Amino acid sequence: MARDNKTVEEFLDLYRQLESCINERYGLKGKDRGVGWLVHNPQKDLGQVTAELDYCREVRNLLTHRPKLAGEYAVEPSAAILDTLKFTIDRIRNPMLALSAGIPVSKVFSCVLADYVKPALVKMDKCCYTHIPIMEDGRVVGAFSENTLLSCLIDDEIMEVSQETTFEGIAKYLPLNVHTSESFRFVPRATTVAEIAAVFAEAISKGDRVGMIFITESGKPDESLLGIITVWDVANHMR
């Protein structure tokens, strides 16, 4: 059966597009670049495509460095190979943004200073939340977590959380810059998941625990919250 040369040409065209995308995205020049570079330098935000791309590279080398037999290519790339190239090109050209992988503000469980602490604790336990953003006029003004209560206990400020305890009553422990065992970040709307992963990786290398990353329009704390992203959101996206 004659092979479909159009499929081969489509494969080679997609491969060239991918090579160009890789070099442009990662600023590669010289000999070590393109698909070969990506195979040896897997990028977590592209998913598990390293083996598939290495296979694509072998097929491409066979098609370009071996002569045709009776005017036909020796092999015909499968639909799966073409899909792998298309998927990788799309991921490189349109990397997922943190706002897409994280939690939009409409779904974020948050509180204000006037809210009672105990119902919030019940919600945290039921939904396995680790942090609660404290909001004011759409902006993040603090965060509440288990470590907040620990700080209160260490200072003998509170021995129990009663039905009447509000966040206002423990307000001095809520600002983001007073959390002693964790830190927080603000990033712009255009930040990608790969960039967020790099933030977490750098923090871990320095022994810094980032509790939550807040997404605002240009990454400024005084802007309205658009969403949040945690290390778990990044892990779920990249597995």
Side-chain angles (χ1 to χ4, degrees), residues 5-158:
N5 287 349
K6 290 184 178 180
T7 300
V8 176
E9 296 300 337
E10 181 183 6
F11 167 81
L12 293 175
D13 179 61
L14 288 171
Y15 194 94
R16 285 190 289 268
Q17 290 183 49
L18 179 57
E19 293 257 274
S20 177
C21 288
I22 294 170
N23 295 335
E24 182 178 351
R25 164 87 179 268
Y26 302 106
L28 304 178
K29 296 180 180 180
K31 184 178 180 181
D32 297 324
R33 56 186 186 143
V35 174
W37 179 89
L38 192 60
V39 167
H40 292 98
N41 298 273
Q43 303 299 303
K44 292 182 178 179
D45 61 319
L46 298 182
Q48 303 297 322
V49 296
T50 301
E52 289 85 349
L53 290 179
D54 197 28
Y55 188 77
C56 289
R57 185 172 58 158
E58 292 180 5
V59 172
R60 180 260 185 184
N61 289 341
L62 176 64
L63 291 173
T64 56
H65 299 309
R66 295 288 184 178
K68 295 180 182 179
L69 298 176
E72 295 182 358
Y73 288 103
V75 298
E76 181 181 329
S78 66
I81 287 180
L82 298 179
D83 288 343
T84 294
L85 293 176
K86 292 174 183 177
F87 167 82
T88 310
I89 290 170
D90 181 67
R91 273 293 181 90
I92 291 177
R93 286 178 174 169
N94 306 291
M96 179 169 283
L97 299 182
L99 195 56
S100 298
I103 305 170
V105 66
S106 60
K107 295 183 179 181
V108 172
F109 175 60
S110 63
C111 291
V112 297
L113 290 174
D115 288 333
Y116 293 106
V117 175
K118 200 152 193 176
L121 284 172
V122 173
K123 180 87 170 180
M124 289 179 73
D125 181 60
K126 181 180 179 180
C127 300
C128 297
Y129 295 147
T130 58
H131 296 78
I132 300 176
I134 305 300
M135 309 291 293
E136 182 179 292
D137 297 327
R139 298 176 293 105
V140 178
V141 295
F144 176 83
S145 68
E146 295 174 351
N147 293 323
T148 308
L149 288 181
L150 181 59
S151 295
C152 291
L153 289 171
I154 290 174
D155 287 352
D156 292 328
E157 288 287 334
I158 185 172

Side-chain angles (χ1 to χ4, degrees), residues 204-218:
I204 290 172
S205 71
K206 295 179 179 178
D208 179 15
R209 177 187 173 191
V210 178
M212 192 178 292
I213 293 180
F214 303 108
I215 305 168
T216 62
E217 187 63 36
S218 57

Side-chain angles (χ1 to χ4, degrees), residues 186-190 214-221 223-227:
F186 285 84
V187 298
R189 176 198 286 270
F214 303 108
I215 305 168
T216 62
E217 187 63 36
S218 57
K220 297 178 180 179
E223 296 177 319
S224 295
L225 182 68
L226 299 177

